[in-house]
Amino acid sequence: MVRQILHCDLNNFYASVACRDNPELRGKAVAVGGSKEERHGIILAKNEIAKQYGVSTGEAIWQAQQKCPSLVVVPPDFKRYTYFSQEVRRIYERYTDLIEPFGIDECWLDVTGSRRLFGTGEEIADRIRREINAEQGLTASVGVSFNKIFAKLGSDLRKPDKTNIIPYENFREILWPLEVNRLLGVGPATERKLHSLAVFTIGDLAKIDPEALRLKLGKNGVLLHRFANGEENSSVLKSDFKYKPQSIGRSVTCPKDLTTFSEVYRVFLRLSEEVGRELRREEMQAHSIAVHIRDSRLAVKEFMTGLTSPLQSAKALADEGIRLLKANYGFEYPLRSVGIRAINLRDYSPRLQLSFFEDNMKLIKQDTLERSVDLVRERFGNGAVVRASLMNDFTAFREQSPSTLGHPRLSV
């Protein structure tokens, strides 16, 4: 039986929510942007009218306003985005329990077993789009195909508020002429490597010797070859399935440049509290750590290293992070933004064995203390317990939670 997989993508989600909530914005070029005052002044999302002026996600607000002087920029509202994401999810649940999120505004649905009740995949897609619009005032594009990769590509190809079918019988005629960067998993760096192999279209990728891809791109190249040939057959996971994260990180653009390691350490410690709490929530430990910096020239660097002992503690993570940074960065330029990431994650195991190379009892006490602090904060709020060393920083960081969500969509 050929599967029926949908990929539902809420159109211009952040900007659409803003226009829905404020009717005065309708008919205007609208973008959601970060705070200029806190130096997060980039475009996070834009509506269709803004797109017509060439406004693009990730560019500076001042650049977008040069393209579109009438552009209305509104601040993000993550509580509203979460609310609508959950409400739309309830619509999906009317048709299947096989719902796999791909970010806050996208989901895969397997409706293979729902066709006797609700009709073909195309008919189900159209019903879902109508119900989202009627009940939530938003629109969605839906791709329908026999696997997740092509369903995603289908929703990308026809926007906004469209259903697009990519059937098994003629996917080659539809997809193989497209540029290779349209395929999920082909970013700019991978695209450049594929171009060096004379691979410019999805069809070129499908026809090339997979061994050449393996030599150039490793196992990811072989995987992309399977994608191009329609051989991706992973299941859509149930809505209550929980991914084990591959990494957990936080980053922040600071209100002013950091000029000393002492200042960076205080930021690392604040970010590590969130990373540590997430590690404990997932019952995982970091066996390696990475730090990310962007200096005043906007040059970006990342350093990583293994750990002699697996860690969850915020202080231990911050200590390792600053040690790694000191070993690799000479502070030639002030730092505009920094991040810290726990990587090489494995399931948590209690510390039982002593080591000659660390104060194991101290780490045990830190882990126990921070678990207790988690409980207090969950009950009374994040401000209930604050490290004395961060008292002066707490207010400044408390309002920056959206900018600290630095982890990728498929990794948390």
Side-chain angles (χ1 to χ4, degrees):
M1 177 188 295
V2 177
R3 295 189 300 164
Q4 289 286 280
I5 309 298
L6 311 186
H7 181 267
C8 302
D9 185 1
L10 297 172
N11 300 136
N12 311 316
F13 182 46
Y14 292 2
S16 295
V17 169
C19 293
R20 178 203 180 281
D21 286 350
N22 184 357
E24 293 182 1
L25 296 177
R26 295 173 188 173
K28 298 179 180 179
V30 177
V32 177
S35 166
K36 292 182 180 179
E37 292 74 20
E38 294 180 358
R39 306 199 303 175
H40 308 295
I42 63 171
I43 300 297
L44 302 176
K46 68 280 180 189
N47 67 358
E48 289 296 326
I49 300 173
K51 284 182 182 180
Q52 294 171 11
Y53 286 90
V55 175
S56 60
T57 301
E59 71 179 339
I61 291 175
W62 65 266
Q63 293 175 312
Q65 289 173 329
Q66 284 186 335
K67 298 175 181 177
C68 179
S70 61
L71 183 69
V72 179
V73 181
V74 299
D77 187 341
F78 290 93
K79 287 184 179 179
R80 292 294 283 168
Y81 307 149
T82 301
Y83 169 80
F84 283 108
S85 178
Q86 293 170 344
E87 291 299 304
V88 170
R89 187 81 54 86
R90 292 189 178 95
I91 294 175
Y92 301 154
E93 289 171 353
R94 299 170 188 171
Y95 298 93
T96 180
D97 64 344
L98 298 176
I99 304 168
E100 183 178 343
F102 189 56
I104 194 170
D105 57 344
E106 302 179 45
C107 284
W108 281 292
L109 284 65
D110 187 337
V111 297
T112 306
S114 306
R115 288 178 292 182
R116 289 187 177 180
L117 290 174
F118 303 111
T120 66
E122 181 178 7
E123 290 170 338
I124 295 172
D126 287 340
R127 288 180 62 160
I128 287 174
R129 288 195 302 106
R130 287 194 298 268
E131 289 170 12
I132 290 173
N133 186 244
E135 298 174 27
Q136 303 303 327
L138 303 171
T139 64
S141 295
V142 184
V144 184
S145 194
F146 58 93
N147 67 34
K148 289 158 63 174
I149 297 300
F150 288 171
K152 162 70 173 166
L153 189 49
S155 69
D156 288 341
L157 290 175
R158 293 191 69 196
K159 293 179 181 290
D161 197 19
K162 297 288 193 303
T163 297
N164 190 25
I165 317 299
I166 299 178
Y168 176 81
E169 294 75 21
N170 63 337
F171 76 87
R172 296 172 183 83
E173 289 84 349
I174 297 171
L175 299 183
W176 279 12
L178 300 178
E179 293 184 5
V180 71
N181 62 10
R182 301 304 297 261
L183 195 65
L184 185 65
V186 179
T190 299
E191 183 183 17
R192 287 193 293 271
K193 292 178 182 179
L194 290 173
H195 285 179
S196 72
L197 296 173
V199 173
F200 299 98
T201 67
I202 294 176
D204 293 338
L205 179 61
K207 296 171 187 176
I208 193 173
D209 183 354
E211 180 62 18
L213 291 171
R214 187 189 67 78
L215 292 174
K216 191 72 172 180
L217 297 170
K219 62 182 181 180
N220 186 53
V222 179
L223 185 64
L224 291 174
H225 185 266
R226 293 182 59 239
F227 287 177
N229 280 286
E231 297 171 359
E232 194 281 325
N233 56 9
S234 65
S235 300
V236 174
L237 303 173
K238 285 193 174 184
S239 55
D240 59 356
F241 178 83
K242 197 171 188 323
Y243 279 105
K244 280 290 187 182
Q246 299 174 0
S247 67
I248 295 173
R250 296 292 187 271
S251 62
V252 66
T253 299
C254 300
K256 64 176 183 177
D257 287 345
L258 306 176
T259 57
T260 67
F261 287 114
S262 176
E263 291 177 337
V264 175
Y265 178 75
R266 290 161 69 86
V267 179
F268 276 174
L269 187 56
R270 177 65 186 89
L271 298 177
S272 294
E273 287 199 327
E274 296 186 25
V275 174
R277 180 163 49 184
E278 188 70 18
L279 285 169
R280 290 186 291 276
R281 185 179 295 122
E282 298 288 344
E283 290 294 332
M284 304 195 80
Q285 294 171 306
H287 286 249
S288 302
I289 193 170
V291 297
H292 170 97
I293 58 173
R294 182 173 55 159
D295 65 28
S296 56
R297 305 168 302 159
L298 304 185
V300 174
K301 295 181 180 179
E302 184 167 285
F303 313 107
M304 60 184 66
T305 186
L307 301 171
T308 57
S309 178
L311 299 177
Q312 281 187 334
S313 160
K315 186 176 186 308
L317 290 167
D319 289 346
E320 291 293 339
I322 201 67
R323 188 177 297 119
L324 175 61
L325 184 63
K326 286 180 176 179
N328 291 279
Y329 188 67
F331 248 117
E332 296 88 352
Y333 299 94
L335 297 181
R336 179 183 176 94
S337 65
V338 298
I340 189 163
R341 187 159 51 97
I343 58 178
N344 189 14
L345 304 186
R346 302 177 195 173
D347 289 339
Y348 172 77
S349 59
R351 301 177 188 276
L352 299 177
Q353 297 182 354
L354 297 177
S355 168
F356 292 109
F357 303 104
E358 65 180 357
D359 185 348
N360 203 65
M361 291 305 299
K362 184 177 180 180
L363 289 175
I364 292 173
K365 290 179 180 178
Q366 286 180 353
D367 288 348
T368 303
L369 173 63
E370 294 190 16
R371 285 179 179 270
S372 299
V373 169
D374 289 345
L375 295 175
V376 174
R377 286 174 171 167
E378 285 175 10
R379 183 172 181 182
F380 299 106
N382 288 339
V385 180
V386 181
R387 291 178 186 270
S389 60
L390 296 178
M391 286 295 292
N392 292 334
D393 300 329
F394 181 68
T395 301
F397 280 106
R398 182 174 52 195
E399 304 302 329
Q400 295 191 30
S401 57
S403 66
T404 64
L405 301 176
H407 40 70
R409 286 199 251 189
L410 283 175
S411 70
V412 292

